[in-house]
Amino acid sequence: MTYDIIIVGGGPAGLSAAIYAARALKKTLVIEKSVFGGQITQASKVENYPGFEEISGMELGEKMADQAKKLGVESIYGEVTKIRKEQEIFTVTVGKKEYFSKVVIYATGASPRKLHVENEEKLVGSGISYCATCDGAFFKGKTVCVVGGGNTAVDDALYLANLCQKVYVVHRRDSFRGEPVKVTLLKEKENVEFILNATVKSVEGENFVKSITLVENMQERKIDVDGVFVAIGHEPNTKILEDFVPITPNGYIITNLDLETSIAGFYAAGDVREKQVRQLTTATNDGTIAAIMACEYLNTL
């Protein structure tokens, strides 16, 4: 089946793009491999999205998906395994089926690297978070742990130090990869304690995080914490694009300010593209821009 626009990824960026594309009367298909709404659906509460003082991530994702559907956007579940372009037409392969379009907006997001320890999956959204700026406010006055040693971990710890009573920073090495100036600022915080040359063995808690067990200098150590912020990097979902469009060494898609890639008609939006800030609102912003520019491109064909 042929569409004007195929959107790969049904998170906030993809669904925002779908809404704008549908309102421009473009025949639009969204392909999502797991859950419409994307990673935000894992958040128990969202308090930083305009218009909603508080809403669950799942409900917000459902509202976005329902809005797109009511506007006539088609959607399917499936994993895209290949994209190619021939004579101004893109072919998007999902399993044994092929879908065709004049434009593709790629919005598959970036998955946070996980600790892969006991109870991690169970406690995501119940004390385990991969985004301090998203969830830090829920831990005001509490004790938390940040795992990681790069700029993201240092930035998260600095942010949380202004909110939380106590912040532990756990890093597997004895030095940080983060900017020295930021590390110095972090060391000046009286409520921050560094635990170096340590790795996480497990996270404990039934319905919510209660403690974390570390392996430090060959010895186990348990620390009582209310939250664990994992900041060990992200992995953009771009493996199928490695020989298709330019990506950074870290796997992010390179775009211009209009979210165009080097291939005409191929756009990238949300956390999957190279940029500085990755938040819910910046994802919807990307989706909006990508869709508007894609529609302008279509109008020139």
Side-chain angles (χ1 to χ4, degrees), residues 9-299:
L15 291 174
S16 296
I19 289 167
Y20 272 81
R23 286 174 57 83
L25 303 180
K26 306 302 182 184
K27 187 176 182 180
T28 305
L29 172 69
V30 179
I31 304 171
E32 167 58 44
K33 73 173 185 178
S34 55
V35 178
F36 282 93
Q39 292 183 42
I40 195 63
T41 60
Q42 298 178 12
S44 57
K45 291 181 182 179
V46 176
E47 295 181 326
N48 58 356
Y49 193 74
F52 297 95
E53 292 184 11
E54 181 180 308
I55 188 172
S56 73
M58 182 62 74
E59 185 180 0
L60 182 59
E62 289 175 349
K63 285 182 177 293
M64 290 181 179
D66 287 344
Q67 184 176 357
K69 183 178 180 180
K70 289 177 181 177
L71 288 168
V73 174
E74 296 181 37
S75 62
I76 61 169
Y77 284 102
E79 183 172 2
V80 174
T81 56
K82 186 176 182 181
I83 299 175
R84 66 181 189 273
K85 184 182 182 182
E86 297 174 351
Q87 298 179 347
E88 306 303 321
I89 297 295
F90 290 94
T91 301
V92 180
T93 303
V94 182
K96 295 182 179 179
K97 294 185 177 180
E98 292 184 336
Y99 300 86
F100 306 96
S101 67
K102 300 173 184 177
V103 163
V104 169
I105 298 176
Y106 201 82
T108 56
S111 302
R113 290 193 179 97
K114 298 186 177 182
L115 296 171
H116 299 293
V117 299
E118 185 178 350
N119 293 323
E120 182 175 14
E121 293 295 331
K122 183 180 80 170
L123 293 172
V124 170
S126 298
I128 292 181
S129 171
Y130 303 94
C131 180
T133 53
C134 303
D135 302 324
F138 300 126
F139 296 86
K140 187 175 182 180
K142 297 185 178 182
T143 298
V144 301
C145 168
V146 175
V147 183
N151 275 327
T152 299
V154 174
D155 286 341
D156 286 356
L158 284 168
Y159 175 77
L160 293 167
N162 294 324
L163 293 171
C164 302
Q165 180 182 16
K166 178 79 173 184
V167 178
Y168 293 98
V169 179
V170 177
H171 185 37
R172 61 181 178 173
R173 299 187 176 92
D174 59 2
S175 61
F176 288 84
R177 291 175 288 108
E179 295 176 28
V181 172
K182 292 182 178 180
V183 175
T184 299
L185 288 174
L186 189 59
K187 289 180 177 179
E188 293 173 353
K189 298 286 186 179
E190 294 183 357
N191 61 335
V192 174
E193 180 178 333
F194 294 88
I195 304 176
L196 306 180
N197 295 312
T199 58
V200 179
K201 180 180 180 181
S202 63
V203 181
E204 290 78 41
E206 286 300 320
N207 299 316
F208 211 86
V209 168
K210 295 296 183 184
S211 63
I212 185 170
T213 298
L214 308 175
V215 177
E216 182 184 7
N217 298 321
M218 305 295 290
Q219 299 292 322
E220 288 191 10
R221 175 184 178 185
K222 181 174 284 190
I223 301 172
D224 292 333
V225 295
D226 301 297
V228 178
F229 290 86
V230 182
I232 55 176
H234 285 74
E235 295 178 349
N237 303 309
T238 56
K239 288 184 179 179
I240 68 168
L241 301 180
E242 290 178 353
D243 297 321
F244 189 64
V245 294
I247 59 177
T248 69
N250 291 327
Y252 292 97
I253 302 172
I254 298 172
T255 69
N256 62 17
L257 293 178
D258 292 332
L259 306 197
E260 298 170 309
T261 67
S262 60
I263 296 179
F266 192 89
Y267 299 78
D271 290 359
V272 76
R273 77 178 186 91
E274 174 65 11
K275 60 178 182 175
Q276 187 67 29
V277 180
R278 294 180 172 88
Q279 292 287 302
L280 172 60
T281 48
T282 61
T284 57
N285 173 70
D286 276 7
T288 301
I289 295 171
I292 290 174
M293 300 313 298
C295 290
E296 288 189 9
Y297 168 78
L298 285 169
N299 292 337

